[in-house]
Amino acid sequence: MGALDEGHCNGEVEGCFELGFEKEVETVAIEDAVKVLLQGLGEDVNREGLQKTPLRVAKALREGTRGYQLKVKDIVQGALFPEAGLETGTGHAGGVGGLVIVRDLDLFSYCESCLLPFQVKCHIGYVPSGHRVVGLSKLSRVADIFAKRLQDPQRLADEICSALQHGIKPGGVSIILQCSHIHFPTLESAFLASNHHGFVKMLVTSGSGVFENEKADIWGDFLSLLKFRGINVDKIHPRDSADKCWCPSQTTSKVGPANSGMTAAVSLILRSLGEDPLRKELLGTPNNFVKWLFNFKNSHLEMKLNGFVLGRMDALKSIGDDNIQSELNLSFWSQCEHHLLPFHGVVHIGYICSGGVDPIGKCLLQSIVHFHGFKLQVQERLTRQIAETASSLLGGDVMVVVEANHTCMISRGIEKIGSNTATVAVLGRFSTDPAFRAKFLQSIPNSATPEG
């Protein structure tokens, strides 16, 4: 008996070792693929800031797709509790307890069309039956299993609904997902469209059992209890809509032959995550992701500002009293060089000039922001670069505040949805005079960063 136990134990250890080794090999494969992508962007993978990027990206992707290794039954087993009063033939589907709703579950998933994260606000309803109710936290955990896979909104809703219906066998399950997909402009269009909207949003539903009929009265109960959360049911995306493409990165154009190595690298990443790159929905994903990355290619562009600076500086010298001018809420989009994940927000620029004259105007300052944003970046460096470039135009007395939402804060297991990061750079008299700093900071409006 002891020998059998020892052999069984050794088998488990060996199996765990093999699983760990397999995961390590897959992580290394993703790291190698990320190096190919960085080199294709013209970056030096050995420069400070990028040396650990391949590992960070691999860990983020594996964490963000861990749902492939999880099973619903492992969560639901032991999560059903007997509840007296759920008598057959009484109330909805045999339960006098009626409808149970869990609202506002914050999830994130990776878009299967472009490999960028998208945010999800999930609302789950179910009707107990068979004298059983489910532990409420398990609803969130089941939803997270399917969110942590490459997804699109409707399939995500359907998979959560089906898993709960089969796992807890209720009278019915209803799902509503509010999904937000980041939508950056291209480098070229950013300079042309100042009113670009940063997100594509979609609201989808799924139902089973007593919720299978979308016109059933119980759907009315469910939706009424969600109106408190500001959900506009008129915006529900029709299941049979011909417009099924919600990902803004989907395109019919292809990357050039020179970038075939990069698309092959993305295909390798998909395989390493446990997906089949030949699955119909994933055929265009490598191309879409590479085209996205090329918005941030290291193209060694230079801003030609010298002539502008000389002309303006001479004019400023003859003007008297100093005062603070500002340009607020200049939009920016960028890509984090640590995780290859997007971040976005607004930039506020304050500067000291004379006589109340605005020496350059919003258009050029917005161009400066875009110029430094469309690179692999970190927010602290972006803030400093904007300040230094603006300072060369404005006489040296400049203060810059950048407010940003980082998608790396909702992925990688961090999941701090709604967090915001502010960074500050001060030059000239702003660095020595607290009154100047305070006056500019007081001019910044509340809630300036666009909502996700």
Side-chain angles (χ1 to χ4, degrees):
M1 188 71 174
L4 288 175
D5 287 344
E6 182 179 351
H8 177 68
C9 180
N10 287 340
E12 284 186 344
V13 171
E14 184 177 347
C16 290
F17 175 79
E18 290 176 352
L19 180 61
F21 178 74
E22 181 181 345
K23 288 184 177 180
E24 183 177 342
V25 170
E26 291 170 350
T27 299
V28 171
I30 296 175
E31 289 183 62
D32 291 340
V34 172
K35 290 178 182 178
V36 172
L37 295 176
L38 290 172
Q39 290 167 343
L41 294 177
E43 292 285 354
D44 176 7
V45 296
N46 293 314
R47 77 166 170 84
E48 186 177 2
L50 288 183
Q51 291 178 349
K52 295 184 178 180
T53 293
L55 177 60
R56 293 189 188 103
V57 173
K59 291 172 66 175
L61 285 172
R62 292 192 60 80
E63 172 65 26
T65 57
R66 67 178 186 271
Y68 290 114
Q69 282 76 50
L70 301 176
K71 297 180 180 179
V72 172
K73 67 178 183 179
D74 295 336
I75 292 176
V76 173
Q77 285 178 349
L80 293 170
F81 304 98
E83 180 60 30
L86 300 182
E87 304 296 339
T88 302
T90 306
H92 288 304
V96 295
L99 182 60
V100 178
I101 295 178
V102 176
R103 299 177 291 202
D104 297 328
L105 300 173
D106 285 316
L107 309 171
F108 86 92
S109 190
Y110 278 92
C111 174
E112 68 181 5
S113 294
C114 66
L115 287 185
L116 294 181
F118 66 93
Q119 297 182 41
V120 181
K121 183 80 72 174
C122 175
H123 313 280
I124 301 175
Y126 82 99
V127 176
S129 67
H131 303 271
R132 297 180 303 176
V133 295
V134 66
L136 297 179
S137 65
K138 301 302 186 289
L139 300 176
S140 176
R141 293 181 63 188
V142 169
D144 197 51
I145 285 179
F146 296 99
K148 295 299 188 293
R149 300 178 183 184
L150 303 186
Q151 285 288 8
D152 83 291
Q154 188 61 64
R155 189 174 73 249
L156 176 57
D158 290 343
E159 289 183 344
I160 296 171
C161 182
S162 177
L164 290 174
Q165 183 66 40
H166 289 91
I168 65 178
K169 295 179 172 55
V173 175
S174 55
I175 306 292
I176 285 187
L177 303 182
Q178 297 169 279
C179 303
S180 299
H181 192 308
I182 202 162
H183 182 199
F184 279 21
T186 63
L187 175 59
E188 293 79 10
S189 66
F191 287 93
L192 301 175
S194 60
N195 59 345
H196 177 84
H197 297 291
F199 285 85
V200 174
K201 298 189 177 184
M202 180 180 284
L203 192 151
V204 297
T205 67
S206 188
S208 61
V210 295
F211 290 97
E212 192 167 356
N213 181 356
E214 295 180 356
K215 299 185 183 301
D217 291 341
I218 194 169
W219 264 110
D221 298 341
F222 182 42
L223 295 174
S224 293
L225 288 167
L226 293 181
K227 287 182 179 178
F228 306 123
R229 301 305 188 196
I231 297 177
N232 184 349
V233 297
D234 295 332
K235 295 184 177 181
I236 293 176
H237 191 74
R239 179 181 291 273
D240 58 353
S241 171
D243 179 20
K244 295 184 178 180
C245 171
W246 89 301
C247 174
S249 298
Q250 287 187 340
T251 176
T252 56
S253 59
K254 301 292 183 181
V255 297
N259 302 318
S260 60
M262 296 177 71
T263 56
V266 179
S267 295
L268 176 61
I269 290 174
L270 293 175
R271 284 194 293 271
S272 299
L273 295 177
E275 270 286 3
D276 179 8
L278 298 179
R279 177 162 68 84
K280 178 179 67 174
E281 294 83 1
L282 296 177
L283 289 177
T285 301
N287 182 74
N288 291 334
F289 187 66
V290 171
K291 285 184 69 65
W292 159 266
L293 284 181
F294 262 80
N295 284 318
F296 310 96
K297 180 176 171 58
N298 185 4
S299 54
H300 304 290
L301 296 175
E302 294 183 4
M303 291 200 78
K304 304 296 184 181
L305 299 172
N306 291 337
F308 183 91
V309 174
L310 292 175
R312 287 297 182 179
M313 288 303 294
D314 289 341
L316 288 175
K317 288 177 182 178
S318 62
I319 302 174
D321 299 331
D322 293 333
N323 62 82
I324 297 177
Q325 297 289 325
S326 63
E327 287 293 348
L328 307 176
N329 296 339
L330 300 171
S331 59
F332 85 91
W333 299 272
S334 194
Q335 182 90 331
C336 172
E337 71 176 30
H338 290 165
H339 302 99
L340 295 189
L341 288 168
F343 66 103
H344 65 100
V346 290
V347 178
H348 314 291
I349 301 177
Y351 51 96
I352 300 172
C353 66
S354 302
V357 176
D358 184 349
I360 61 175
K362 181 176 181 177
C363 183
L364 182 55
L365 290 177
Q366 181 69 80
S367 296
I368 292 171
V369 170
H370 286 329
F371 176 82
H372 292 297
F374 279 94
K375 295 177 172 64
L376 297 187
Q377 276 286 15
V378 295
Q379 185 174 336
E380 295 85 350
R381 184 196 307 140
L382 173 65
T383 309
R384 174 178 54 80
Q385 289 176 339
I386 293 172
E388 290 174 348
T389 305
S391 175
S392 69
L393 296 175
L394 298 166
D397 302 314
V398 172
M399 182 170 181
V400 173
V401 175
V402 176
E403 298 183 273
N405 294 327
H406 291 252
T407 51
C408 66
M409 291 295 288
I410 66 169
S411 59
R412 307 191 300 118
I414 305 298
E415 301 188 31
K416 300 301 181 185
I417 294 174
S419 65
N420 183 274
T421 302
T423 47
V424 180
V426 290
L427 296 172
R429 280 178 285 177
F430 279 104
S431 64
T432 59
D433 193 327
F436 279 132
R437 295 197 299 273
K439 185 176 180 181
F440 171 61
L441 291 173
Q442 289 169 4
S443 71
I444 297 175
N446 294 328
S447 304
T449 304
E451 292 183 359

